[in-house]
Amino acid sequence: MDQSHIRNFCIVAHIDHGKSTLADRILELTHTVDPRAMRAQVLDSMDLERERGITIKAQAVRVFYTAADGETYQLHLIDTPGHVDFTYEVSRSLAACEGALLVVDAAQGVEAQTVANTYLAVEAGLELIPCLNKLDLPGAEPERVAGEVSELIGEPPESILRISGKTGAGVDAVLEQLIARVPPPAGDPDAPPRALIFDSEFDQYRGVIAYIRVVDGSFAKGQPIRAMAAGTVAEIDDIGFFSPTMSPVQSLSAGEVGYLITGVKDVTQLRVGDTLTTRPGPASGAGPAGGSRTEATEPLPGYREVKPMVFCGLFPIDSDDYPDLRDALEKLTLNDAALSWEPETSDALGFGFRCGFLGLLHMDIVRERLEREYDLELLATMPSVEFDLTLTNTEELEVHNPSDMPDPGTIAEIREPFIKAQLIAPREHVGAIMELCQERRGEHAGMHYLSPERVQLTYDLPLAEIVLDFFDQLKSRTRGYASLDYELDGMRPSDLVKLDVLLAGDPVDALSMVVHREKAYEIGRTLTEKLRKRIPRQQYDVPIQAAIGSHIIARETVKAFRKDVIAKCYGGDITRKKKLLEKQKEGKKRMKQVGRIEVPQEAFLAVLELGEQ
Ligand SMILES: Nc1nc2c(ncn2[C@@H]2O[C@H](COP(=O)(O)OP(=O)(O)O)[C@@H](O)[C@H]2O)c(=O)[nH]1
Ligand SMILES: [Mg+2]
């Protein structure tokens, strides 16, 4: 398609404001998806996405739209996730587009990710098209919300589109605006070919599938290519676009978005952020290959490296699965560029991996994807943040695992990550939010009215306090009305101590945590109590202790108990016995032998519920 008739845009919004539903309407309006195959949020293709009702992966689809001017345009639409943990997905999608549709729920208003995504899109130089969504809802307040959006983006409220992704009202006007306002892609079709890999996935049979945005020149089936950063050379086996299923074509040219398959199986050879170019020389294979005979020399700007913020250990329940877990992590990393990992050995849990994530939801999703997509059973240890240390011998140390904390006597300073948090809520919840932030060692850094009813608060908070149950607490104390967005804001010195947990007198490295000194006693007490409730009774008393160094600060005991479930059902009901035994087996599933004691998965995550009463 002629470049002037291409428009690339992504849909961004706070979670649940209706991105995926709007994408559905656009797919219908453009007859992209067979009405019989249509289902709600059709682009959320992963089982996990459908079950949870959230978008995890960005999805790029090509649609054709005949506009009011009678011309047919080729649009590439990228639906994005809304949760703060997936901001990296959004920023990569933005780099493949010239425009962004900003969707705002007219019954809610501007939320934390509305603001964050607006800034991202503006920084990326995109044309921003705001629209108020869910106008069909009786609770919609388009006037108020238009005011908030207008304040945010600096455009008059009456210029903001009003739509309903549910009924489809106003969706054609959105497409007309897109065509009128979003510039066509600017790349040079005659320059040496360059394409940005903005995402990728691994297919068991076909190897790496790279999602590309062609910037200059064109790429055709059969052509030899080179990945500029990795130095990988390969040939294009297959090239095409998403409709939303894979649709092969002969070539993709400047401005177009699609996929490319080379048969490369090694996931490290075609990385997200790398630039592809063609190699000169006689093109082998069929098709109108050849294209440009020159090779690009300047790679495209890739992506900033993302820094994982939250770490936990992942251990296979069955230690024989260790090699499979490594393999799965390698493959998943390709589909999830923000995931990092390195081998970890625990005295208590054996061989596993220390994994880095962008947040708790990301951690949860990764664990679940590893289990489902790679058929593994895993145990996750308590999440923790990174600590930077200066030792008394002036050595600098980065610690990703509380059990790696050196002896306190050797530490001159410990620094922990701080975040700048933006919290948005209706005015009446400001008090509750301030109280929560104060309990979590937060420092108030600003307050701003988005409209007379809605307030944006800024706080500096230690990331470690967010990793606990901050988000749940925020939601419950504001009846779900507050939203949160944050970004890392450097490391700051803090008075932190390592808290050890001993089971039956033995320290369990996988249960160690690093906490603020002033909170250590309280956390020690709550933690031992939570653990007592989660560790099944054994045939002898099991003491659970929390200690700082050699100093025991809390103690609980799991009382001995002989578990003889069958004794209860005397009489001959064999099916009932079988059921009970099966149930017991089920219960054992997520257990890990730690010394003489079987510890269930929940015990390792007890820390996540410390704030609960
Ligand atoms: N009433 C109404 N509900 C909507 C509309 N758009 C989306 N929803 C609902 O809002 C929820 C979140 O929608 P979804 O598209 O998954 O949001 P996303 O997280 O931004 O992708 C779903 O239950 C949708 O059915 C709309 O225009 N009107
Ligand atoms: Mg969605």
Side-chain angles (χ1 to χ4, degrees):
M1 166 99 33
D2 171 15
Q3 218 167 309
S4 66
H5 283 64
I6 298 177
R7 298 290 183 277
N8 297 320
F9 67 98
C10 47
I11 310 182
V12 296
H14 191 76
I15 196 158
D16 276 351
H17 280 205
K19 294 174 290 295
S20 302
T21 305
L22 175 58
D24 287 350
R25 293 297 85 74
I26 296 177
L27 295 183
E28 274 175 2
L29 194 75
T30 55
H31 313 289
T32 308
V33 176
D34 182 337
R36 280 164 304 172
M38 196 62 203
R39 50 179 187 172
Q41 289 100 32
V42 70
L43 294 184
D44 289 342
S45 50
M46 257 194 265
D47 287 346
L48 201 56
E49 294 181 307
R50 302 200 65 79
E51 276 166 34
R52 297 197 180 200
I54 57 169
T55 307
I56 297 167
K57 287 296 297 175
Q59 286 289 335
V61 197
R62 178 183 291 189
V63 304
F64 291 95
Y65 176 67
T66 304
D69 64 7
E71 302 276 319
T72 297
Y73 292 84
Q74 175 179 313
L75 313 177
H76 298 114
L77 165 170
I78 306 184
D79 182 26
T80 64
H83 191 278
V84 56
D85 281 14
F86 301 115
T87 301
Y88 187 54
E89 285 284 315
V90 178
S91 66
R92 293 202 323 274
S93 306
L94 292 171
C97 297
E98 283 77 36
L101 264 185
L102 176 70
V103 178
V104 186
D105 185 332
Q108 304 285 333
V110 166
E111 301 273 12
Q113 273 76 46
T114 318
V115 177
N117 287 333
T118 299
Y119 288 148
L120 281 177
V122 170
E123 269 166 36
L126 267 56
E127 178 69 27
L128 197 66
I129 298 184
C131 40
L132 304 184
N133 190 27
K134 308 199 187 180
L135 263 279
D136 61 287
L137 282 179
E141 297 177 68
E143 298 317 317
R144 166 182 61 95
V145 178
E148 292 171 15
V149 175
S150 157
E151 160 87 19
L152 175 67
I153 60 172
E155 275 180 41
E158 55 284 359
S159 71
I160 299 164
L161 294 167
R162 290 157 196 230
I163 66 166
S164 164
K166 186 174 179 186
T167 66
V171 176
D172 46 355
V174 170
L175 294 180
E176 292 296 331
Q177 281 249 343
L178 267 168
I179 285 162
R181 289 176 54 191
V182 174
D188 181 351
D190 302 317
R194 292 194 298 176
L196 175 68
I197 306 181
F198 68 91
D199 205 349
S200 63
E201 69 179 301
F202 186 83
D203 181 278
Q204 209 177 336
Y205 305 104
R206 313 198 64 184
V208 178
I209 303 173
Y211 294 17
I212 57 165
R213 155 72 197 262
V214 181
V215 174
D216 296 320
S218 65
F219 290 80
K221 192 169 166 154
Q223 254 181 348
I225 56 161
R226 186 167 67 90
M228 297 180 77
T232 311
V233 289
E235 225 167 72
I236 301 176
D237 282 350
D238 206 356
I239 189 163
F241 62 89
F242 296 96
S243 66
T245 49
M246 285 181 160
S247 311
V249 286
Q250 277 308 322
S251 70
L252 289 179
S253 55
E256 293 189 310
V257 175
Y259 67 89
L260 175 155
I261 299 173
T262 60
V264 166
K265 290 253 161 58
D266 177 356
V267 296
T268 60
Q269 292 190 349
L270 281 181
R271 280 221 186 272
V272 167
D274 207 341
T275 300
L276 297 178
T277 184
T278 52
R279 283 184 294 139
S284 56
S292 165
R293 291 298 162 110
T294 40
E295 202 172 346
T297 49
E298 271 293 300
L300 298 161
Y303 299 110
R304 69 187 163 90
E305 283 273 314
V306 273
K307 214 173 142 57
M309 308 219 255
V310 175
F311 299 82
C312 83
L314 288 180
F315 293 85
I317 299 273
D318 178 351
S319 45
D320 290 344
D321 285 343
Y322 179 77
D324 291 346
L325 176 55
R326 170 187 289 278
D327 194 46
L329 279 166
E330 272 173 7
K331 285 171 183 155
L332 192 59
T333 311
L334 188 75
N335 193 225
D336 184 345
L339 170 66
S340 75
W341 47 276
E342 61 186 21
E344 170 182 1
T345 318
S346 154
D347 292 338
L349 302 175
F351 292 108
F353 294 92
R354 191 80 191 161
C355 302
F357 311 94
L358 297 180
L360 284 184
L361 178 65
H362 186 215
M363 168 175 147
D364 201 31
I365 298 283
V366 166
R367 192 179 53 98
E368 205 160 330
R369 287 189 70 186
L370 285 169
E371 295 197 328
R372 285 178 182 222
E373 293 169 30
Y374 301 91
D375 198 21
L376 293 162
E377 264 202 286
L378 303 174
L379 188 140
T381 63
M382 292 196 231
S384 154
V385 300
E386 170 190 317
F387 300 101
D388 288 0
L389 274 55
T390 306
L391 302 182
T392 45
N393 66 4
T394 72
E395 202 182 307
E396 299 284 327
L397 201 63
E398 239 179 54
V399 176
H400 291 158
N401 189 342
S403 69
D404 293 340
M405 270 289 175
D407 183 80
T410 64
I411 304 174
E413 186 181 79
I414 307 183
R415 292 173 299 278
E416 66 175 328
F418 266 67
I419 54 162
K420 188 129 329 263
Q422 306 293 343
L423 300 122
I424 295 181
R427 197 173 52 183
E428 63 266 31
H429 297 296
V430 166
I433 295 176
M434 287 182 150
E435 197 178 289
L436 174 64
C437 290
Q438 250 131 44
E439 283 168 27
R440 300 303 174 97
R441 300 192 275 138
E443 279 170 37
H444 184 88
M447 182 159 147
H448 167 72
Y449 277 83
L450 298 166
S451 66
E453 293 85 39
R454 258 174 122 65
V455 183
Q456 176 173 18
L457 289 159
T458 308
Y459 265 90
D460 291 351
L461 281 155
L463 176 63
E465 298 283 346
I466 301 282
V467 167
L468 294 177
D469 59 341
F470 186 88
F471 196 64
D472 292 343
Q473 285 291 317
L474 180 69
K475 286 285 171 194
S476 75
R477 294 189 195 190
T478 61
R479 298 206 317 277
Y481 278 113
S483 62
L484 163 76
D485 193 83
Y486 58 82
E487 54 186 10
L488 270 189
D489 191 33
M491 308 291 288
R492 298 191 195 173
S494 287
D495 190 9
L496 302 171
V497 289
K498 181 178 164 206
L499 187 73
D500 290 314
V501 173
L502 293 82
L503 286 187
D506 298 322
V508 179
D509 57 358
L511 286 173
S512 293
M513 57 193 292
V514 172
V515 299
H516 197 263
R517 191 183 301 277
E518 279 171 16
K519 293 192 164 185
Y521 279 83
E522 188 197 323
I523 292 179
R525 256 197 318 275
T526 337
L527 185 60
T528 46
E529 201 184 302
K530 297 261 172 201
L531 287 171
R532 175 175 59 76
K533 290 185 189 150
R534 272 136 212 268
I535 292 176
R537 296 180 172 207
Q538 320 273 327
Q539 292 177 18
Y540 41 84
D541 281 1
V542 179
I544 305 168
Q545 295 159 299
I548 299 174
S550 57
H551 183 50
I552 304 291
I553 59 166
R555 182 193 161 107
E556 293 272 343
T557 306
V558 181
K559 287 279 180 222
F561 173 65
R562 204 185 170 90
K563 208 175 193 179
D564 193 355
V565 282
I566 296 180
K568 272 191 211 150
C569 41
Y570 34 86
D573 186 353
I574 188 75
T575 49
R576 173 129 187 265
K577 266 186 202 169
K578 256 196 192 143
K579 255 192 196 149
L580 267 172
L581 283 173
E582 258 160 37
K583 229 177 156 184
Q584 207 185 26
K585 227 162 114 196
E586 279 276 295
K588 273 217 177 109
K589 254 188 171 169
R590 287 293 157 110
M591 297 278 193
K592 193 87 185 175
Q593 195 76 30
V594 176
R596 291 177 304 159
I597 300 157
E598 289 208 307
V599 181
Q601 161 74 76
E602 305 90 75
F604 289 93
L605 297 179
V607 65
L608 287 179
E609 294 145 27
L610 282 181
E612 279 173 20
Q613 296 313 307

